[in-house]
Amino acid sequence: MHSDLLITPLMFELRRLRMPLVRPFRTSFGTESVREVMVIRVVTDQGEGWGESSIESEPLYLSEFHNAADYVFVEHLIPRLFAAAPFHVHDVAAILAPVKGHRMAKAALEMALLDAQLHAEGRSFQRYLGATRTAVAVGVSVGITETIDELVHVVSDYVAEGYSRVKLKIEPGFDIEPVRRVREANPDLMLQVDANTAYNISDIDHLARLDPFNLLLIEQPFGEDDLVGHAELRRRVSTPICLDEAIGSIDHVRSAIALNAVDIVNIKPARVGGYRAAVAIHDLCVDAGIPVWCGGMLETGIGRAANLALASLPGFTLPGDISATKRYWHRDITASFDLANGQITVPTGNGFGVAVDTDFVDEITFERREVTQQD
Ligand code: NPG
């Protein structure tokens, strides 16, 4: 995975884009209809690269949000990269480590630089990772709906499109009945639920009522800090427990394993501070016998391309939240990714293997800023 290439960044361009979702996406932490996406283009002495931040415009999923990230990029992270240049991209996480937290922002910078490095070297992200599967099985994440009938209908449309794994968003008041109805209509479907921290330990008996529905997993029912609560839940329910928000680093994975708080890990490179951290967590989980899958945060084609390559590593044994482009966007900023037999082909072009449609990016940019060393 390492490379000898030394790289000097000359300019970072931070852009905020407005992208309407094909259908509003409701979770326990809010509803998104038009997604604000932050992308980064880096110009280096070795060529340019693109990264995507996955940060939300409000701090409702994790603590990071766009306005804060803007400040952190300009005042704290990017100056450290300029000061450290020339550097190896595999050292970016270490260069940025003195700044605490802000993992999604760090991940976006690493991503843009990695894309630049790989283009310069003429190799694909998949080759860099040493992954080999040419296509990966993917699932779809279905938001909370007004009615259960609507949910059953939406799920059946996705199943008809070829998705073999469906994740339902749940929250108190929208959990047991929706799951029961979707399960009745789809007895063999791989089905899982995601609560995005909407419950607490007083809900253990309630969540145990999900056990009869043969779910693949229940994802992050309790708060991001509550590993002990998840361990207690794990003792009292038979559905496997998956962690998302609770895993910000490999140390969190080690702690969760030591506390018997986890069966399955959702790996989101942005949430853990980058693709190199994601690979380290993958390797640890493989050694520990913990299945992993690749989460999603409504990415554009840039993040989707990179996640497909990551998900082609052998430990990713469960389908990821990496759906086809048309589940998210009428028009994306890259060429579309399409579903074929429940799978999506892993890109093999240089870098992340996608060309960014810069004219369209210009059209949907509502904020743009360049950061150069003189600033
Ligand atoms: O397919 O990209 C996707 C969406 C998958 O449900 C999904 N993501 O909690 O995992 C999540 C949720 C999310 C979306 C989280 C946006 C943060 C931002």
Side-chain angles (χ1 to χ4, degrees):
M1 213 156 70
H2 280 199
S3 153
D4 289 333
L5 191 82
L6 280 166
I7 206 162
T8 298
L10 305 171
M11 190 273 278
F12 290 86
E13 181 187 54
L14 311 174
R15 282 177 183 259
R16 282 157 80 164
L17 319 177
R18 244 182 222 119
M19 297 181 64
L21 285 160
V22 164
R23 75 156 51 97
F25 188 57
R26 178 167 158 206
T27 64
S28 59
F29 61 85
T31 304
E32 274 188 277
S33 307
V34 178
R35 187 161 171 78
E36 291 186 3
V37 181
M38 216 182 222
V39 292
I40 297 184
R41 184 173 69 97
V42 65
V43 177
T44 78
D45 63 336
Q46 305 290 332
E48 66 171 62
W50 285 85
E52 174 169 357
S53 90
S54 297
I55 299 174
E56 300 277 288
S57 48
E58 294 184 86
L60 303 178
Y61 167 67
L62 292 171
S63 63
E64 289 181 80
F65 64 101
H66 285 165
N67 286 345
D70 232 6
Y71 185 87
V72 166
F73 278 128
V74 176
E75 299 295 330
H76 296 287
L77 298 177
I78 292 175
R80 282 177 188 271
L81 293 172
F82 284 141
F87 51 76
H88 296 291
V89 175
H90 57 251
D91 290 329
V92 165
I95 294 166
L96 301 179
V99 176
K100 305 292 189 255
H102 300 284
R103 295 187 176 101
M104 295 203 268
K106 292 173 179 176
L109 292 170
E110 184 200 69
M111 206 179 159
L113 289 160
L114 194 52
D115 190 42
Q117 174 199 311
L118 293 171
H119 275 289
E121 293 173 335
R123 58 175 172 156
S124 70
F125 186 44
Q126 190 187 39
R127 250 184 63 210
Y128 166 86
L129 292 171
T132 49
R133 273 185 286 166
T134 55
V136 293
V138 297
V140 62
S141 173
V142 182
I144 293 165
T145 48
E146 278 301 312
T147 66
I148 300 180
D149 283 344
E150 186 188 344
L151 180 73
V152 172
H153 191 78
V154 173
V155 169
S156 79
D157 282 352
Y158 284 133
V159 171
E161 282 177 35
Y163 290 104
S164 57
R165 187 284 262 160
V166 170
K167 155 167 147 179
L168 304 181
K169 291 290 190 179
I170 59 167
E171 66 181 2
F174 192 89
D175 45 26
I176 313 297
E177 268 321 293
V179 170
R180 181 196 315 281
R181 289 275 308 283
V182 170
R183 176 49 90 208
E184 274 168 12
N186 305 273
D188 301 324
L189 181 65
M190 285 195 272
L191 191 62
Q192 63 194 56
V193 294
D194 182 7
N196 289 110
T197 75
Y199 299 85
N200 61 59
I201 44 160
S202 68
D203 297 312
I204 290 182
D205 290 337
H206 180 72
L207 293 172
R209 293 173 59 204
L210 290 169
D211 280 345
F213 304 117
N214 189 27
L215 299 178
L216 271 181
L217 58 92
I218 173 167
E219 184 179 353
Q220 196 70 43
F222 301 160
E224 66 180 86
D225 298 325
D226 194 8
L227 289 181
V228 170
H230 285 100
E232 176 68 15
L233 177 69
R234 190 164 170 267
R235 279 191 289 277
R236 298 199 9 215
V237 302
S238 59
T239 305
I241 307 300
C242 172
L243 296 178
D244 173 14
E245 285 92 327
I247 305 299
S249 68
I250 195 162
D251 295 341
H252 292 158
V253 181
R254 282 200 205 95
S255 301
I257 294 171
L259 288 168
N260 293 312
V262 66
D263 295 287
I264 294 169
V265 171
N266 167 331
I267 298 184
K268 286 178 181 165
R271 198 198 59 224
V272 301
Y275 280 88
R276 295 182 57 82
V279 170
I281 291 175
H282 161 273
D283 296 349
L284 171 72
C285 288
V286 168
D287 284 348
I290 297 200
V292 303
W293 55 283
C294 182
M297 289 185 268
L298 308 168
E299 284 85 1
T300 72
I302 302 173
R304 194 167 317 290
N307 283 350
L308 285 164
L310 181 74
S312 70
L313 283 170
F316 286 83
T317 52
L318 294 169
D321 282 344
I322 319 173
S323 311
T325 304
K326 72 172 195 186
R327 174 254 178 267
Y328 309 92
W329 319 114
H330 292 296
R331 181 170 173 194
D332 201 348
I333 59 173
T334 67
S336 67
F337 289 97
D338 303 313
L339 196 68
N341 303 317
Q343 301 194 323
I344 301 184
T345 303
V346 179
T348 52
N350 291 344
F352 298 126
V354 284
V356 175
D357 180 345
T358 49
D359 290 340
F360 185 49
V361 167
D362 278 342
E363 254 175 65
I364 60 177
T365 297
F366 68 95
E367 207 176 285
R368 174 179 176 280
R369 132 179 231 179
E370 285 186 8
V371 189
T372 55
Q373 187 139 29
Q374 294 80 11
D375 286 358

